[in-house]
Amino acid sequence: MLHLTVGRVGFLLSRRAVVGLTNSGARMSSHSHHEVSDQVDMSQPMYWDRLDTPLPDRAWIDVLDSKDKSLKQKEKGPWTALSKEEKIALYRLKFNHTYPEMKKPSHEWKTVIGGMFIFFGITGLVVFWQGHYVYPPQPHTFGEEWQAKQVQRMLDMRVNPIEGFSAKWDYKNKQWK
């Protein structure tokens, strides 16, 4: 049962009243740190680095400073006049990563394999614990002595003598065919 003190109830009610009266009431109630998360408008062109789509919808840098604007103006002229550093700077305005940078292997596989080992280890411990503490002991019919007696009983009864169990037993030599 939940018991609230009078002071706690008063605090919660006063906080709700303050939240309801402010402009950012929804923000305050959804975020305890008074931070507002940005919403992404998926209908607008977005930038991404992917090997299968070499040209993203928009450039990597949208807002250009004066240096970048002068470089963009210089881009409209002959490209032979551009230096190697300027060409690289123009590329970096449009793209964040090059293909070799995108193809560079990450070490995420180590985290995935480690997580799998942890999962398998915990699962193994749970199975071991269940086998030791939860499940009852094996019945006596699982023992080798009981199973040998059961096989002999089935042979004596000549169970399924045409194509089955008894058909594979040689009754004269007392051994399997």
Side-chain angles (χ1 to χ4, degrees), residues 33-46:
H33 300 292
H34 306 292
E35 296 175 3
V36 178
S37 62
D38 293 334
Q39 291 184 347
V40 178
D41 186 5
M42 300 302 283
S43 66
Q44 298 295 320
M46 296 179 62

Side-chain angles (χ1 to χ4, degrees), residues 68-159:
D68 295 336
K69 286 180 184 177
S70 66
L71 192 58
K72 287 295 258 182
Q73 287 298 325
K74 199 172 180 183
E75 175 189 23
K76 294 177 182 176
W79 275 62
T80 54
L82 294 173
S83 67
K84 183 178 178 182
E85 290 79 21
E86 290 173 331
K87 290 177 184 176
I88 292 173
L90 281 170
Y91 182 87
R92 290 296 180 176
L93 288 176
K94 182 74 176 164
F95 304 104
N96 186 27
H97 297 292
T98 62
Y99 267 90
E101 290 171 347
M102 285 188 276
K103 289 181 181 179
K104 182 180 174 186
S106 69
H107 299 289
E108 183 181 7
W109 67 272
K110 294 176 185 177
T111 305
V112 172
I113 296 295
M116 287 172 44
F117 282 144
I118 289 171
F119 176 75
F120 291 146
I122 291 172
T123 303
L125 289 174
V126 168
V127 168
F128 175 75
W129 177 82
Q130 285 179 339
H132 194 268
Y133 293 105
V134 176
Y135 297 131
Q138 281 189 338
H140 65 282
T141 57
F142 277 31
E144 289 182 21
E145 183 181 318
W146 182 274
Q147 288 180 355
K149 288 180 184 178
Q150 184 69 20
V151 166
Q152 186 60 45
R153 182 171 176 261
M154 291 172 73
L155 290 174
D156 292 343
M157 290 173 43
R158 295 183 185 256
V159 173

Side-chain angles (χ1 to χ4, degrees), residues 3-22:
H3 297 286
L4 293 175
T5 62
V6 175
R8 180 75 178 149
V9 171
F11 171 75
L12 290 174
L13 290 176
S14 66
R15 185 166 181 220
R16 284 222 177 210
V18 169
V19 168
L21 294 175
T22 61

